[in-house]
Amino acid sequence: MEFMDLQKIKSTVIYGLEETGHISRFAGRFFAQAFRPPFEWKEFFKQCYLIGYSSLFLVSATGFIMGIVLTLQIRPTMISFGAASYMPNMVGIAFIREIGPMVTALICAGKIGSGIGAELGSMRVTEQIDAMEVSGTNPFKFLVVTRIWAATMMLPLLVIAADFVGLTGSYLIESTRGDVTATLYFGRVFSSLVLGDVIPATVKTFFFGFVIGLIGCYKGFFSKKGTAGVGKAANSAVVLASLLLFLVDFLAVLVADIFYTI
Amino acid sequence: MMSASTYDQTKPLLVLKGVKKAFGHHQVLKGFNLELYPNENVVILGKSGSGKSVLIKCLVRLIEMDEGHIEVLGRSMADVEQDELDAIRTDVGFLFQGSALYDSMTVRENLLFPLRRHPGRMRGRSEAELVREALGNVGLEKAADLMPDELSGGMKRRVALARTLILKPKIILYDEPTTGLDPITANEIIQLILKLQDELMTSSLIITHDMDCARVISNRVVILQDGINYAQGTYSELARSTDPKVKAFYKEVQNPIDG
């Protein structure tokens, strides 16, 4: 029994290391081709539209609800400490530094990551990727580079939208439960934020977008044959991207902390 | 780099020597040899799982062979860099078994996709003109704005053929061109392939297990069995063969239920 467990752990570790190597090589291939012409601008803008615009409603709705829930949950505690006036400061910092980027990234890992994984997986299964290759087109450049770039560029914009809508949701609760104007509320939010809050939070969203695009493309591009392979590609894209998002977030917080200490 | 137009027309367009390919312990190709000459239609017959698709995918390097030599239009495929490989691939059309149309694009965009990436192939003509001509060749002039999921199986195969031909390749590789089609549509596709080849003077390598397709379309038939080119000749020569394996193969493929 123990021997079996050890074997299982060993094969899991080996699989993990192999997968890390493959993803690193895939990322290396992206960087090798991402800055070299010809650029597939039309496909890039199409993907920006699909990734950005089509996720906007979902991200905004989630952000709005998160803003409301956060305010409703924290308000009683803040009142009990006599710190209700600090609600905008607290919600602003929490949203801009962590909740906005992380919730948006997780939503996008589910929506965009699985979408890219399923799309490329289905293209692999139906030999569309092979068809591109034999027509003398670089499918990696057309399909992968454009999608990773689009995800990297769109995620920060989606986070900004989620932050804004989330803070608006929070303000609506504050204005109905307490006596606060929009000018006062947002004034306090912005006065509590410093560049050290905004810059690291914004920079990490580019990495979040990159991770979502990279994992979605990787899982889809190397999808195994069959419809089960497509489903697995979509599913594992979400799982792995979500896991990596937490890892990137952890690293981002560590790095940002160094700057705070200095 | 030698372009297709400067290629010596008496030499074979395709040469395969001792091509081997294994997947794990399963040796699919064990030393396959073949030559394809200008204006020739060679059909490779083989049972399902015999390695036919693997063979033509090795030809355009969609799958890397393990051993052997493949030469396309005088260029060794093993030695070429990516840019040259792309150039060779534009001279070699590939019709996929499932048509492989890009399902997020209209028929017109499907046809324009290879063309826009190889503008030199437009020969000074407009995109609209080339698309009209390509769709006219396959009898689908009015399908330009349809999406692939609005097309029937036969129509998809025709559009895929138009997309393959739009770059005017010198060689066309057909992966089971009639599989999955009803007999009438399959016959239409066969006649279309013959008509277009006659007009465009292309050479073809067709892999199939459809004996009717092989009989009508082939100048020469090669039987792929046990990973090698087991036998070759015209369709009728092989049909009359006394070789027990060839006889058994013909019997089995023609009457699969009886075995």
Side-chain angles (χ1 to χ4, degrees), chain A residues 240-251:
Chain A
L240 187 58
S242 304
L243 198 68
L244 285 177
L245 285 174
F246 283 108
L247 187 67
V248 170
D249 192 42
F250 170 64
L251 292 174

Side-chain angles (χ1 to χ4, degrees), chain A:
Chain A
M1 189 66 188
E2 259 181 44
F3 176 72
M4 288 291 284
D5 286 346
L6 276 175
Q7 282 291 93
K8 208 173 167 185
I9 292 167
K10 190 181 161 193
S11 58
T12 309
V13 170
I14 290 171
Y15 173 78
L17 290 172
E18 278 177 354
E19 197 73 341
T20 308
H22 291 149
I23 293 170
S24 307
R25 211 164 65 180
F26 193 74
R29 201 170 155 193
F30 165 76
F31 286 114
Q33 299 197 19
F35 303 98
R36 232 177 39 197
F39 300 109
E40 299 283 357
W41 290 113
K42 198 179 163 194
E43 183 65 12
F44 167 71
F45 287 120
K46 184 180 162 189
Q47 290 307 320
C48 284
Y49 174 79
L50 290 174
I51 289 170
Y53 182 72
S54 67
S55 308
L56 189 61
F57 175 75
L58 183 64
V59 163
S60 302
T62 315
F64 186 69
I65 293 164
M66 284 302 296
I68 290 173
V69 169
L70 186 72
T71 309
L72 285 172
Q73 296 271 31
I74 290 173
R75 203 163 189 279
T77 314
M78 295 291 274
I79 289 170
S80 69
F81 280 104
S85 60
Y86 285 100
M87 274 300 290
N89 311 47
M90 205 235 68
V91 172
I93 290 173
F95 237 95
I96 301 294
R97 282 177 66 165
E98 196 55 44
I99 295 173
M102 206 55 206
V103 168
T104 306
L106 287 171
I107 295 283
C108 289
K111 188 177 185 300
I112 301 166
S114 67
I116 292 175
E119 186 191 12
L120 297 196
S122 142
M123 289 184 79
R124 171 64 73 195
V125 168
T126 54
E127 296 182 310
Q128 292 175 52
I129 294 179
D130 288 344
M132 277 184 192
E133 208 162 337
V134 295
S135 71
T137 303
N138 182 346
F140 191 89
K141 194 150 217 173
F142 184 78
L143 297 171
V144 175
V145 172
T146 52
R147 278 159 180 75
I148 295 179
W149 266 131
T152 309
M153 295 296 157
M154 286 298 107
L155 206 86
L157 298 179
L158 288 170
V159 169
I160 290 169
D163 286 346
F164 175 72
V165 177
L167 291 172
T168 306
S170 173
Y171 159 69
L172 287 177
I173 297 299
E174 276 295 300
S175 65
T176 52
R177 299 281 169 104
D179 189 20
V180 62
T181 62
T183 316
L184 179 63
Y185 183 87
F186 284 101
R188 294 203 71 147
V189 167
F190 289 117
S191 68
S192 65
L193 291 168
V194 291
L195 278 179
D197 295 317
V198 178
I199 290 174
T202 308
V203 170
K204 76 177 175 186
T205 59
F206 285 100
F207 287 97
F208 286 171
F210 174 75
V211 164
I212 292 166
L214 180 79
I215 300 301
C217 287
Y218 169 74
K219 289 289 178 185
F221 204 73
F222 296 115
S223 165
K224 296 283 183 289
K225 293 274 180 187
T227 44
V230 178
K232 204 176 164 198
N235 184 269
S236 53
V238 179
V239 174
L240 187 58
S242 304
L243 198 68
L244 285 177
L245 285 174
F246 283 108
L247 187 67
V248 170
D249 192 42
F250 170 64
L251 292 174
V253 170
L254 281 185
V255 172
D257 200 44
I258 294 169
F259 288 103
Y260 283 125
T261 314
I262 291 167

Side-chain angles (χ1 to χ4, degrees), chain B residues 125-167:
Chain B
R125 298 172 68 190
S126 71
E127 287 180 350
E129 198 184 340
L130 286 165
V131 169
R132 210 168 30 246
E133 182 189 85
L135 288 177
N137 280 336
V138 296
L140 286 175
E141 296 88 340
K142 291 178 182 168
D145 295 314
L146 296 178
M147 295 300 285
D149 62 7
E150 295 174 288
L151 305 174
S152 68
M155 288 164 87
K156 279 183 189 167
R157 212 60 65 89
R158 283 166 185 264
V159 173
L161 188 57
R163 188 180 64 183
T164 304
L165 293 169
I166 205 161
L167 291 179

Side-chain angles (χ1 to χ4, degrees), chain B residues 21-221:
Chain B
K21 178 69 193 173
F23 294 96
H25 296 298
H26 179 45
Q27 189 76 39
V28 180
L29 300 173
K30 298 173 183 169
F32 191 90
N33 300 303
L34 180 79
E35 289 183 343
L36 175 75
Y37 288 90
N39 304 321
E40 193 183 26
N41 291 342
V42 172
V43 168
I44 298 178
L45 276 176
K47 287 184 232 170
S48 291
S50 59
K52 304 187 297 290
S53 295
V54 172
L55 181 74
I56 56 167
K57 285 181 179 174
C58 282
L59 255 170
V60 284
R61 278 181 57 184
L62 279 177
I63 295 175
E64 296 290 344
M65 64 182 168
D66 297 333
E67 261 182 69
H69 176 75
I70 295 177
E71 216 175 275
V72 178
L73 298 165
R75 286 164 285 185
S76 169
M77 292 296 273
D79 306 329
V80 292
E81 294 293 322
Q82 189 61 46
D83 289 347
E84 197 179 353
L85 179 62
D86 288 343
I88 295 172
R89 281 170 167 169
T90 60
D91 280 329
V92 183
F94 199 121
L95 186 74
F96 286 86
Q97 188 174 346
S99 303
L101 296 179
Y102 309 130
D103 48 21
S104 61
M105 301 180 196
T106 63
V107 166
R108 184 195 313 281
E109 287 164 343
N110 262 278
L111 296 185
L112 289 175
F113 187 85
L115 212 52
R116 284 187 176 155
R117 275 143 194 90
H118 305 285
R121 293 282 171 146
M122 292 174 67
R123 300 167 297 275
R125 298 172 68 190
S126 71
E127 287 180 350
E129 198 184 340
L130 286 165
V131 169
R132 210 168 30 246
E133 182 189 85
L135 288 177
N137 280 336
V138 296
L140 286 175
E141 296 88 340
K142 291 178 182 168
D145 295 314
L146 296 178
M147 295 300 285
D149 62 7
E150 295 174 288
L151 305 174
S152 68
M155 288 164 87
K156 279 183 189 167
R157 212 60 65 89
R158 283 166 185 264
V159 173
L161 188 57
R163 188 180 64 183
T164 304
L165 293 169
I166 205 161
L167 291 179
K168 299 273 187 284
K170 301 291 164 199
I171 305 163
I172 304 179
L173 310 176
Y174 294 93
D175 187 358
E176 308 272 9
T178 56
T179 296
L181 301 177
D182 63 80
I184 296 169
T185 312
N187 188 47
E188 282 174 9
I189 294 291
I190 292 169
Q191 297 307 324
L192 187 61
I193 289 171
L194 286 170
K195 183 193 107 176
L196 291 172
Q197 279 191 269
D198 201 35
E199 285 173 12
L200 303 170
M201 306 287 283
T202 54
S203 301
S204 301
L205 191 63
I206 302 125
I207 61 165
T208 184
H209 54 245
D210 177 349
M211 297 302 270
D212 285 332
C213 172
R215 182 173 52 77
V216 175
I217 223 165
S218 66
N219 302 121
R220 184 157 55 100
V221 174

